Every structure is written in C-alpha cells, then in structure tokens.
Amino acid sequence: MEPVPCDLTISRRDLLKVGAAASVATAAASTGAMAQSPAPAGPVPTMKVSFDVNGQVRTLDVDTRTTLLDALRENLQLTGTKKGCDHGQCGACTVIVDGRRINSCLTLAVMHEGAKVTTIEGLGAPGRLHPLQAAFVKHDGYQCGYCTPGQICSAVGVLDEVKRGVPSHVSTDLTARPLLSADELRERMSGNICRCGAYSNIVDAITEVAGSRT
Amino acid sequence: MKPFTYERARTPADAAASVARNPNAKFIAGGTNLLDLMKLQIEAPAHLVDVNGLALDKIEPTTDGGLRIGALVRNTDLAADDRVRRDYGVLSRALLAGASGQLRNKATTAGNLLQRTRCAYFYDTDQPCNKRQPGSGCGALQGISRQHAVVGSSSACIATHPSDMAIAMRVLDANVETVKPDGHTRVIPIADFHRLPGDTPQIETALERDELITAVTLPRPAGGTQVYRKVRDRASYAFALISVAAIVQRDGSGKVAVGGVAHKPWRVEAADAALPQGAKAAAARLLAGAQPTPHNAFKLPLVERTLGAVLIQAKA
C-alpha cells in the first residue's frame, strides 16, 4: 500500500478513503475479481426523487437500489447518519422521516418523494445544539460515538411517541398515559445498540431532557 | 441487491395488475423485511410496485361492530389506536412485543403477516434450504434447531413464522381482505391464511402471486382478559422462543394461540375447549403430535408453563 502523505490538513475521512481505495485496488489486482463479475444485463435503472432534508429540498437521480441511508451519506454527503449493520438491527442509521424515527437502511430513497427528512445535522450544530445533543455531551452518553447520531434521533422520536401517548411493551396499563421511567426509556430505545455500553449515561441524558419538558 | 425497476401504484387493483404483468415483481410497503432479504439476495425482484401511496392506512369500524384495519396501517399506529388498546388488548400487546420502535413505525399490518421466517439456514445462502431454494434440502433438520418448530413441521422444513402480531390476529379470529388485478375481492380467514410447510415450504400463504392484501378485519370485541406473553432470549427486540396469546373469560373459557412453535400461528380447537381444565390439559392438546428436535424440546414444557402464567395473570 502507498504510504499516506503526511499532510496535517488531511481529515480522518480522507484518510479512510485513501485506505479503502488502496485496498480495493490490491484486491482487484490479486484476485482478478473485476474480470469475474458478470456483465450487467443493461443500464441500471435510475429514478429522480425529491425530498426535504433538514429544511432544504434536494433532488437526486439515484439507482433505484439506493437506500435512504446511502442517499444521505453518499449522494448528499450528510455523513452524520451512520451505517452500522445495514439490516435494521443496530439503529445507527436512525433518522426522522415525516416526524417518525425509522431505520434509514431499510427503506429506499425513491420511496420518499416529497418526504421531510431530519438527520442529526438538522437537529442542531456546534453552538446551537439540540437539547438532547447537549445532554448526551453533559452525561457522557457515548464512548466511541458511532451509534450516537442514531441514539439521539431515536431519542427525539421516543419523546414524541411518549407525548403522543404511544404505549410500550413495559407500560403496565395499556390505556393510561405512558410514564417516562428508566424502564420505559430502555424498552423504547432497544432498537439502538451501543457496543461500548454507554446505556446508563444515555438513559440519564434522555431522562434529563424528558424531565425538563414535562 | 440485484437491479430492479420501480413504480408507485395508483389503486390496489392497478398494483395487483402490475405485479401480474411482471413475472418477477413484488409489492413493497414498509419494506423492513423485503429490503433486508434483497440485500442478501434471498429475494431478487426485477420490479417493485410501491403500494405506500394507496389510501389503505385507516382503522374504521365495521357494520358488525368490529374494526377494519387498512393494510398500510403501521404497527405503531395499530398498537396505539384507542379502540385496539381498549377492546383488542392482546393485539396491542403482541405488536409492542415485536421488533423495535423504528421498525414498528415503518412496518405495516399486511407486511407483518407476510414476514418470512428468521431461520438461520434460510438466511445463509451457503446452506441448503427448501424454502429459499426448493429441493435443496433443509439445513436445520440436522443443524442447530433451538429456534425451530415443534409442531406442524415436515421433513422439508422446520422453520417458524416470526410474527407476534399474527398470533394475536389468530386468537382474535381476524379475516384478511384481498383484491386481484380484475378488481375481484375475497376474504381469507386468518386460520387459512398461513400454510404448513408440507413438501412446499416456499409457499407460505393462501395468497396468489398477484393478490394484494387491502385490509385485516377484526370481529366484535371478544371481551374477557386479553394477554400476550412472549418468552425470548433478551428482554426486548428479539424474536420469540415461544409466545402465548390468550383471551380468557370470567368462567375460565377462552381461546389460545401460540407463536414460535410452528410454520403458522398455532391454534387447536380442542385446546380452547380444555382451557377451563388448566394449562396442562390445554398445552397437551396444543402440542399433541409434537416432533421436537433435541435442541428445541424445551419448548414443550415452556409452552405449558407460559400458558400457566398467562392463566394466572388472566384470573388476577
């Protein structure tokens, strides 16, 4: 592999790109993988789609296979939303679409014509953090930080669901207004995995914001 | 994922007609299961017909005092509906026991019924699987079968149906409403909707290929105490090892359906009749003729004990 130029302005992302490109080139040269792939049967179907992302209408011409997650990250360079498992098991890709938290990896970009998408970048930014972003910082609700954008988008959804009276698996009475206990938060956040295990601080961060709202 | 073309359907019959015209087409609604399987190339449709724009997202009363649930009603909305919470508690409970908040926000009522199995051999394309590739054999039969079926299975397939919602629908005697490309509609009782594997485990439901689910209807509220109890390896966000859905009346009579034990929601009339005699009698009838593997034989006593706990909860 070529040595990476020692440039102090290089970002971690650029470094990863250089590394990935070099690995692909090596793999292709050593195995002939490129030559073995079957010729495509015809042009890959593409489609135009427009949706609002963080208050701005974006129009894309995408391969129909593009997930909403890949459209955000690869086409719109909104890399705050993370790809973890890419199969709806980890929650790292959670974004808010038309007011609801969903796994952006398990939906196609073309299925969201006219939708309103909010990502972690749309919730807040340095200097004007969303209350949940500030609370995650204050309570140290992360270690490596990879799951954090998904955790925060999911938590925004959870607080809205509780406000709308959506019950959960641990709600004792189905017909009563749900409480904001730690048990409730743990159950409602169970679609977001944190392999560092920052769960107790995540619950503290959400509890603080939930408490200040009621 | 294999390349595919994509269209948005305008009416239910148009959606069905489009699937009829394209031999390798599929409907897509929530997509939470289909896209997962497409990424693994277990499903590889050449054309997707998006039905999300069809106005099938309402929950309305029926003339006989029940509820008609549109095919596109999201799992979160169905679980949170005031009428469902009050009159069909077992359905709310079952929905809330399944998946995660994000998935329930996207997954639909019809799609939930049409989920494919989570059998690891179905998911692993390097393994034989009669459901994925008919005639290739069953990897689970001699493999790790802790999660698998104990009743109603065959020598071709021991997979289970993964849905929680469907178990509640079964105990509630729901009906599935469909439309064909020519506009013809029919009603399929939930008891006949899912099939046992037999020699054709790749055929999972009574639906024809170009038949679209438009709604699921519930009969008048059955009253009683409604319980859904799910036993799984972790406290949240895991598929059932087994689950029990029950509606128990004050006199001890009732209905019971079991999940995680068969290729379809499992209900036995003789078990309903035996409910007043207690869990042991009812479980014996539910599991009559069971053929567990050494890995999943634990499910038999687990069903009996969970049903026992459910009956105690219902009487409390």
Side-chain angles (χ1 to χ4, degrees):
Chain A
M1 193 188 288
E2 289 287 313
V4 175
C6 184
D7 180 344
L8 290 175
T9 63
I10 194 166
S11 72
R12 188 171 64 146
R13 183 162 311 284
D14 289 336
L15 182 69
L16 290 170
K17 278 180 184 164
V18 171
S23 319
V24 169
T26 312
S30 60
T31 64
M34 298 298 215
Q36 285 170 11
S37 27
V44 171
T46 60
M47 247 182 106
K48 210 172 200 184
V49 63
S50 292
F51 41 75
D52 179 306
V53 182
N54 302 330
Q56 201 181 342
V57 176
R58 311 296 295 258
T59 302
L60 300 171
D61 195 9
V62 291
D63 183 328
T64 53
R65 292 172 291 182
T66 310
T67 59
L68 178 60
L69 170 62
D70 285 340
L72 292 170
R73 288 183 55 85
E74 307 298 332
N75 297 68
L76 298 173
Q77 280 75 51
L78 288 167
T79 51
T81 306
K82 300 303 185 207
K83 181 180 282 195
C85 69
D86 211 24
H87 286 278
Q89 296 170 6
C90 77
C93 69
T94 304
V95 298
I96 300 157
V97 176
D98 296 329
R100 303 204 164 193
R101 56 177 174 146
I102 63 165
N103 300 109
S104 63
C105 74
L106 282 187
T107 193
L108 297 170
V110 294
M111 291 167 73
H112 293 282
E113 178 67 35
K116 188 175 183 311
V117 182
T118 305
T119 68
I120 190 71
E121 292 93 340
L123 284 180
R128 49 178 185 84
L129 294 181
H130 183 280
L132 274 162
Q133 290 173 318
F136 268 65
V137 173
K138 178 181 166 190
H139 290 275
D140 202 15
Y142 46 79
Q143 286 184 43
C144 81
Y146 196 80
C147 72
T148 312
Q151 298 276 2
I152 291 176
C153 285
S154 193
V156 170
V158 164
L159 296 187
D160 178 60
E161 285 159 24
V162 170
K163 200 169 142 196
R164 289 191 286 120
V166 174
S168 89
H169 175 61
V170 299
S171 305
T172 318
D173 181 354
L174 267 186
T175 55
R177 287 204 65 77
L179 304 168
L180 266 169
S181 63
D183 273 355
E184 281 279 2
L185 292 180
R186 274 194 282 267
E187 162 60 25
R188 290 170 190 269
M189 291 293 292
S190 72
N192 292 83
I193 310 293
C194 170
R195 289 288 83 140
C196 300
Y199 296 113
S200 59
N201 293 358
I202 291 171
V203 169
D204 288 348
I206 303 171
T207 300
E208 178 175 303
V209 176
S212 69
R213 278 192 179 181
T214 50
Chain B
M1 247 189 271
K2 299 282 192 190
F4 55 83
T5 48
Y6 167 92
E7 71 171 290
R8 297 182 191 107
R10 293 179 183 282
T11 69
D14 283 353
S18 182
V19 166
R21 273 195 306 276
N22 295 281
N24 199 10
K26 277 202 168 281
F27 303 113
I28 188 164
T32 53
N33 188 206
L34 181 58
L35 288 168
D36 180 27
L37 294 169
M38 285 169 66
K39 288 180 184 194
L40 299 165
Q41 299 191 11
I42 295 165
E43 297 269 16
H47 184 66
L48 284 183
V49 179
D50 184 344
V51 297
N52 283 292
L54 307 180
L56 300 173
D57 56 354
K58 305 283 188 303
I59 305 175
E60 295 163 327
T62 60
T63 49
D64 62 355
L67 280 184
R68 172 173 286 103
I69 303 156
L72 292 170
V73 172
R74 309 289 154 171
N75 288 178
T76 298
D77 297 324
L78 184 54
D81 183 89
D82 286 341
R83 294 159 292 186
V84 175
R85 287 154 78 171
R86 186 186 64 221
D87 297 330
Y88 305 95
V90 67
L91 179 57
S92 268
R93 287 291 182 196
L95 284 158
L96 296 171
S100 66
Q102 291 96 314
L103 290 167
R104 291 192 295 269
N105 277 342
K106 203 76 181 133
T108 63
T109 305
N112 192 314
L113 289 178
L114 295 174
Q115 281 182 85
R116 310 294 308 274
T117 185
R118 261 57 177 199
C119 171
Y121 298 89
F122 173 72
Y123 262 79
D124 184 347
T125 51
D126 290 330
Q127 295 284 338
C129 172
N130 287 320
K131 188 184 280 297
R132 174 167 36 76
Q133 200 179 346
S136 63
C138 172
L141 272 177
Q142 302 300 322
I144 297 166
S145 52
R146 184 169 175 271
Q147 292 276 357
H148 290 73
V150 293
V151 277
S153 54
S154 71
S155 58
C157 180
I158 58 169
T160 56
H161 196 276
S163 171
D164 292 294
M165 184 197 81
I167 313 306
M169 292 292 194
R170 181 70 185 89
V171 87
L172 288 165
D173 292 307
N175 284 293
V176 181
E177 298 187 345
T178 70
V179 67
K180 294 269 291 168
D182 60 5
H184 183 77
T185 61
R186 67 165 170 157
V187 177
I188 308 169
I190 189 79
D192 304 328
F193 184 79
H194 295 104
R195 294 165 45 112
L196 288 179
D199 295 330
T200 53
Q202 73 277 19
I203 305 171
E204 295 169 349
T205 70
L207 286 181
E208 289 171 39
R209 203 188 69 82
D210 55 4
E211 191 172 10
L212 178 72
I213 299 175
T214 51
V216 177
T217 60
L218 299 177
R220 300 178 49 218
T225 304
Q226 305 196 3
V227 180
Y228 187 77
R229 187 132 174 181
K230 179 175 182 177
V231 183
R232 45 185 162 177
D233 283 333
R234 56 184 181 196
S236 184
Y237 199 20
F239 289 100
L241 287 165
I242 67 113
S243 67
V244 172
I247 300 175
V248 184
Q249 306 296 339
R250 276 174 171 272
D251 63 4
S253 68
K255 306 192 285 186
V256 60
V258 183
V261 296
H263 201 255
K264 60 186 284 185
W266 195 249
R267 180 144 169 232
V268 173
E269 274 182 30
D272 286 0
L275 264 191
Q277 298 163 46
K280 196 176 176 68
R285 286 159 179 84
L286 274 168
L287 301 170
Q291 288 187 300
T293 69
H295 291 153
N296 67 18
F298 72 91
K299 287 190 177 186
L300 274 51
L302 189 57
V303 166
E304 183 187 318
R305 289 171 195 170
T306 307
L307 179 57
V310 163
L311 294 179
I312 289 168
Q313 189 181 337
K315 283 173 195 154

